[in-house]
Amino acid sequence: RLPDELYHLALEVALLSRSSQQTCAVLEQMYSATVFPTPQLAERLAKAGRHVIQIHQQMGKFIDLNRDLKVIATKRDTALLQTHMDEREAYLAAEGLTVRNPTPEQEYRDRYFDRLHKQGVFKRPWLPFGEYLASKQKGGEAYAKRHDRPRPNLLSSGSSS
């Protein structure tokens, strides 16, 4: 099997030659080797072959091939995931448990968060009644804090490592 770059180069040369027969032949070879054109080549194909029906048919075949390959890959992934789930259920059944029983990690997590709730980590801060009413009204500092002031974009300022 030839590398994908060679097929892309052949398609680029066929597009430069402005020969629809050559372009269709290269597309047919790419289809039989299941090599898809790059987005840039697909854009050039759309411009160069907008009046050539054979190129449209070839691209339709590529779309169908891509759809079939994605369906096959998704079915394979689903079957693999189901196999892992069945394997886990078999291990749990050997221990006399079901999937509804929490794992030790989940039990520890529940105890940890229960402790945090008891400590009051998740409680809203207590405010005197006047400040509470001011925080609920529209306008003022509390309202601006909730609505007007822009928040930093945490997704864009993430550290790249």
Side-chain angles (χ1 to χ4, degrees):
R1 172 161 150 67
L2 296 174
D4 294 354
E5 292 80 19
L6 209 55
Y7 286 105
H8 295 153
L9 182 65
L11 182 59
E12 197 168 338
V13 169
L15 284 171
L16 288 175
S17 73
R18 296 186 175 271
S19 167
S20 61
Q21 287 180 338
Q22 225 175 2
T23 305
C24 287
V26 170
L27 284 173
E28 189 63 44
Q29 288 180 353
M30 288 176 72
Y31 177 79
S32 62
T34 63
V35 176
F36 295 97
T38 63
Q40 294 83 12
L41 285 175
E43 183 180 354
R44 287 180 55 195
L45 262 172
K47 288 178 185 173
R50 64 182 172 269
H51 298 300
V52 182
I53 306 249
Q54 290 83 3
I55 291 178
H56 290 273
Q57 291 171 343
Q58 287 290 342
M59 294 313 291
K61 286 170 65 175
F62 273 114
I63 291 170
D64 292 340
L65 177 66
N66 185 38
R67 185 182 306 121
D68 293 342
L69 290 176
K70 293 292 180 190
V71 166
I72 290 169
T74 304
K75 284 183 179 178
R76 185 179 61 239
D77 290 345
T78 305
L80 186 63
L81 185 63
Q82 186 63 45
T83 303
H84 285 302
M85 290 168 50
D86 293 342
E87 183 180 1
R88 180 173 181 268
E89 287 179 13
Y91 283 135
L92 288 174
E95 297 173 9
L97 301 172
T98 64
V99 290
R100 298 280 183 212
N101 296 94
T103 63
E105 293 87 4
Q106 290 169 332
E107 290 175 357
Y108 178 78
R109 184 180 185 280
D110 287 341
R111 286 196 310 267
Y112 175 73
F113 280 103
D114 286 344
R115 190 172 71 237
L116 288 180
H117 279 288
K118 286 178 185 173
Q119 291 173 358
V121 173
F122 300 111
K123 283 175 34 176
R124 295 179 72 179
W126 184 85
L127 295 173
F129 190 67
E131 289 181 35
Y132 171 76
L133 286 179
S135 73
K136 292 298 176 190
Q137 290 177 347
K138 279 194 171 183
E141 282 297 313
Y143 185 82
K145 187 183 286 185
R146 285 195 319 265
H147 294 281
D148 297 340
R149 297 193 181 136
R151 294 181 180 93
N153 188 356
L154 298 177
L155 296 176
S156 67
S157 63
S159 62
S160 59
S161 53

